[in-house]
Structure formats: structure tokens, C-alpha cells
Amino acid sequence: AGLNFVERTMASELLRYGFVDRGVRVQGTVLHVVHPRHFFMADETGPVVVHLEQPSTFQRGDLVSVWGVPRAAKLHVHIGAAEGVRLGSGVLPEPKSIERVEDSSSEVDGRRIRVAGKVVSHTRNTWNSVTYASLVLQLRDRTFNALLPLDTDLDKLFPLGTEAEFVGVCEVD
């Protein structure tokens, strides 16, 4: 007995389905590739994090169709044991400006954001088994980590106390 797949599901509907015996198929645009088996995507209704069975060559901006088993995680949905195909070029959603977003984490988690703030620290951060150079930005009463390639010269490019702006995918922890 295999999984019973729903033909096409909108990201916002994934939480309605049972997470044990029902597979889902979602179509959307790749927002950020963490590594060849893990990426963020979104359709017009919201974000999804995908964990593929096999590595892919998907890139930011690709329109993809993925199918797998959904599970709730934090504020968005993950699809695991997934497979996917590239359908063409997608449209990246406009990033939400953090200055215009209320304090609700659910409005930014898994979505493209634009954040500007003062660089208050340089560090290293390991996320999903990958180590990054990390800038800590201060914006009013919030802090954000901007993860960059490990070999980025943070002292030269982003000295402490300077203002910096980034666009990327937000992962609330």
C-alpha cells in the first residue's frame, strides 16, 4: 500500500491533511537552496521547506513541482521523503520589509524578507550541518543573523557598527 497523493495542494492547505498516510504535491518557486537535498520554496499562499530523497540541481527562482509527506515544523510545513522536477522559471515573491511586518513570527518564517540594521557582531553559525560566517544585525529590539559563505571577510566587508541590508529567507528559531 503506497501513499494516497493529493493531486495538487496549496502550501496554506498542507496543515489540513493527515501527516501519516497522505502524500501531497506542491508547485512553487525555489526561494533558497540550503544544499542539493534541502530548500525553501513558496507558492502564492505560503512557504514550504523541502527535504529531497536525492540531490537536485534546483536554483533560486526555479519553478518546481515536489511531492512527498508533509509534517508540521515550527510555523510552516516541511515536506520530507520528497521528489521533485523543475518546470521552468518561477517568480520570486517580493521580500517583506521587516520594518513593515508586525511582531508575528508567522508572517516572516520561511518567507523572503528584507532587513536592515547595525552590525553588532561577527560569528560562525552551523545550520543544517553547514557552517557559515554570520553577521548579527540589530534592528530596534530584534536581532537577526545573516548567514554568508564561511570564507567571507566579515571584518573587511561589514565592520562592526556599520549599517547593512540583506534580502533572504527567514528561519525563526
Side-chain angles (χ1 to χ4, degrees):
L3 289 174
N4 178 21
F5 276 86
V6 175
E7 183 50 37
R8 179 159 183 246
T9 308
M10 304 305 281
S12 62
E13 296 173 346
L14 289 173
L15 292 173
R16 302 188 304 147
Y17 293 102
F19 293 118
V20 177
D21 61 355
R22 178 160 287 194
V24 296
R25 185 179 308 269
V26 178
Q27 181 176 308
T29 301
V30 175
L31 303 178
H32 174 70
V33 177
V34 178
H35 57 73
R37 291 179 55 182
H38 178 192
F39 62 93
F40 288 82
M41 66 177 281
D43 66 13
E44 58 273 16
T45 67
V48 178
V49 178
V50 179
H51 301 274
L52 296 171
E53 285 287 312
Q54 299 296 319
S56 77
T57 58
F58 297 152
Q59 297 179 27
R60 185 179 66 216
D62 284 349
L63 178 64
V64 297
S65 177
V66 298
W67 52 96
V69 179
R71 62 182 168 83
K74 294 184 189 172
L75 303 170
H76 53 263
V77 173
H78 285 231
I79 296 179
E83 297 180 47
V85 296
R86 184 180 187 278
L87 302 174
S89 296
V91 177
L92 287 170
E94 284 297 314
K96 291 182 177 250
S97 175
I98 287 297
E99 295 180 56
R100 290 191 304 233
V101 174
E102 300 298 325
D103 287 332
S104 170
S105 295
S106 64
E107 292 196 34
V108 295
D109 192 44
R111 299 176 190 275
R112 286 186 82 220
I113 65 165
R114 177 182 313 277
V115 61
K118 182 187 281 190
V119 177
V120 296
S121 177
H122 299 152
T123 187
R124 291 184 181 202
N125 193 332
T126 300
W127 182 65
N128 288 322
S129 304
V130 179
T131 301
Y132 297 92
S134 178
L135 284 179
V136 180
L137 300 173
Q138 181 79 42
L139 174 63
R140 295 186 303 274
D141 60 343
R142 299 188 211 177
T143 58
F144 298 86
N145 285 312
L147 303 181
L148 303 166
L150 187 57
D151 62 354
T152 304
D153 187 347
L154 297 180
D155 291 322
K156 181 178 179 184
L157 296 174
F158 304 100
L160 296 179
T162 60
E163 294 288 322
E165 180 178 272
F166 291 92
V167 172
V169 175
C170 183
E171 176 81 6
V172 175
D173 56 7

